[in-house]
Amino acid sequence: MKILITGGLGYIGSHVATVLLQNGMDVIIVDNLENSRIQVLDGIQFITGKTPVFRQMDVSDASEMNQLFDDFSDCAGIIHFAAYKSVSESVSEPLRYYDNNLGGLQLLLKHATSKAIPLIFSSSCTVYGQSETLPIREDEPLKEATSPYGSTKRIGERIIEDCCKAYPKFNAILLRYFNPIGAHSSAKIGEYPIGIPQNLVPFLTQTVRGIRPILKVFGSKYDTADGTCIRDYIHVVDLAEAHVESLNYLLKKQNSEACEVYNVGTGNGVSVLELIRAFENATGKSVPYEPSDPRPGDTIAAYADASKIEQKIGWKARYTLEEALLSAWEWEKRINH
Ligand code: UD1
């Protein structure tokens, strides 16, 4: 069975490729290498002993997409990651974000809907904004996006929902991820942050490695137990398995609705200070950090009610926070910046 992964050499896509190959699927990776590295392919091959098909191309190029779907007309499923993901960059370059994230999705949907190929879409808990209730359920009302990046996720979800209504044979799952962290246990694939990391864990591991002088903890007086923000950090391998199980569920036609939406998180809310302590416990390394001003636009607390995906699809996170942080550290020690 052939599965297409767009953005398959990126952080989450590469872990999904690995799990699919280990489950005996054939994998076609499409990636334009703009924010990823070709060496990731070697990592995937090392881990799985298998060679996925790789095509360097842009999902927003119509003729290349036509060629792709002609060449792989027997593609059984699509997992779509190819998108830009920097919140700050999206604010300064909104058109680039709308063009790439939504233009690429629309072209992909043209092919997926006409051939009724099931699709897994990479969405984000960013669509909830600051939720009124915690933990966050999938039926929580969505908030106005605070950045063009967030907007592309929200509009992307809507476009897919509309397609599922219009084309009765087309089915999709929207996965709303919480905060993916960590790397494969082999330390052969992981996250390559571009420039100075914006996300907490890569910034933290670079600080411990001595690349950054100190970790600034954004905000210390929030209305939380220790005053710092709360998130739901999920091991990227758990997240990858959630994709594969969701795809299998669609392929076996176990879905009750044409478009279903699931949170993918652990269900545990963890503060920034708790995460720092967990890292120190897991690795024995101390983290240089200092309290700092809040980061504008930060959500105070967001963590998943992950019971729906467990009940309907049978997926549940297996890794602890410490295991995820240890894997992030093993990866950090291996990579060259
Ligand atoms: C961020 C994005 C979100 C995106 C997600 C992808 C913003 C405002 N939000 O979410 O849209 O979907 O990444 O993973 O950029 N922190 C520090 N010091 C740091 C870095 C982060 O204290 O140097 C804190 C933050 O305030 C936050 C927590 O760590 O409380 C996690 O931050 P981060 O990893 O950037 O993720 P999100 O803010 O959840």
Side-chain angles (χ1 to χ4, degrees):
M1 195 172 285
K2 288 198 179 75
I3 308 300
L4 170 65
I5 312 180
T6 71
L9 295 186
Y11 175 40
I12 304 170
S14 57
H15 288 85
V16 170
T18 301
V19 178
L20 283 172
L21 288 163
Q22 286 170 332
N23 277 269
M25 310 268 208
D26 288 333
V27 170
I28 307 151
I29 292 178
V30 159
D31 201 300
N32 68 2
L33 296 178
E34 195 181 333
N35 287 326
S36 57
R37 304 181 188 200
I38 190 67
Q39 291 82 347
V40 173
L41 208 48
D42 300 333
I44 295 170
Q45 282 164 351
F46 177 92
I47 294 166
T48 62
K50 293 178 184 168
T51 309
V53 173
F54 172 63
R55 194 167 284 193
Q56 182 177 354
M57 57 165 274
D58 213 311
V59 287
S60 35
D61 182 317
S63 68
E64 285 194 295
M65 287 291 272
N66 288 339
Q67 189 65 53
L68 178 76
F69 281 92
D70 280 351
D71 292 348
F72 301 105
S73 54
D74 53 348
C75 168
I78 304 170
I79 307 184
H80 178 50
F81 295 103
Y84 295 144
K85 62 173 186 181
S86 159
V87 173
S88 54
E89 202 177 69
S90 79
V91 174
S92 50
E93 296 173 84
L95 291 178
R96 217 175 118 232
Y97 270 68
Y98 286 113
D99 266 0
N100 184 54
N101 293 11
L102 297 178
L105 174 65
Q106 287 175 72
L107 267 181
L108 190 67
L109 284 168
K110 215 180 83 184
H111 294 280
T113 55
S114 70
K115 299 187 177 69
I117 308 173
L119 173 81
I120 308 291
F121 178 62
S122 156
S123 189
S124 164
C125 66
T126 194
V127 298
Y128 297 118
Q130 180 56 68
S131 165
E132 307 298 330
T133 48
L134 290 168
I136 306 173
R137 288 163 42 104
E138 290 81 353
D139 54 10
E140 174 75 19
L142 304 188
K143 291 275 184 339
E144 197 60 46
T146 53
S147 70
Y149 159 77
S151 202
T152 64
K153 291 296 174 196
R154 239 196 108 169
I155 299 169
E157 285 197 356
R158 181 63 199 264
I159 294 172
I160 294 168
E161 281 162 1
D162 288 344
C163 286
C164 287
K165 282 184 202 141
Y167 308 100
K169 289 190 181 142
F170 173 63
N171 291 275
I173 286 183
L174 315 176
L175 293 181
R176 293 179 181 156
Y177 321 151
F178 282 68
N179 292 54
I181 61 165
H184 191 269
S185 57
S186 64
K188 294 285 182 193
I189 54 172
E191 184 175 17
Y192 285 102
I194 303 154
I196 301 173
Q198 308 288 312
N199 293 120
L200 176 62
V201 171
F203 198 100
L204 183 156
T205 55
Q206 288 193 13
T207 306
V208 174
R209 201 171 158 192
I211 297 168
R212 314 277 156 213
I214 196 156
L215 170 69
K216 289 184 177 355
V217 174
F218 297 143
S220 54
K221 297 192 179 78
Y222 286 113
D223 185 16
T224 59
D226 64 18
T228 65
C229 291
I230 293 174
R231 296 285 185 276
D232 184 337
Y233 297 94
I234 172 171
H235 196 306
V236 67
V237 173
D238 272 331
L239 179 57
E241 286 170 359
H243 285 76
V244 177
E245 291 184 30
S246 301
L247 182 65
N248 280 332
Y249 166 90
L250 278 186
L251 292 171
K252 289 183 192 150
K253 301 191 186 310
Q254 291 169 320
N255 50 315
S256 43
E257 288 166 48
C259 186
E260 295 186 355
V261 51
Y262 294 98
N263 287 336
V264 193
T266 65
N268 302 320
V270 172
S271 75
V272 179
L273 294 181
E274 283 171 338
L275 182 137
I276 291 172
R277 261 175 246 121
F279 181 90
E280 292 181 333
N281 285 339
T283 64
K285 300 276 171 196
S286 76
V287 180
Y289 71 90
E290 65 185 10
S292 176
D293 291 339
R295 178 169 67 179
D298 254 350
T299 300
I300 301 167
Y303 54 97
D305 177 331
S307 56
K308 185 178 169 194
I309 190 167
E310 185 178 355
Q311 281 157 15
K312 298 259 301 187
I313 300 185
W315 173 88
K316 191 177 187 313
R318 318 188 265 132
Y319 291 98
T320 63
L321 179 63
E322 278 78 7
E323 286 169 327
L325 290 167
L326 189 58
S327 74
W329 178 236
E330 292 303 325
W331 168 249
E332 176 63 57
K333 287 192 287 184
R334 229 202 111 247
I335 56 173
N336 300 316
H337 291 284

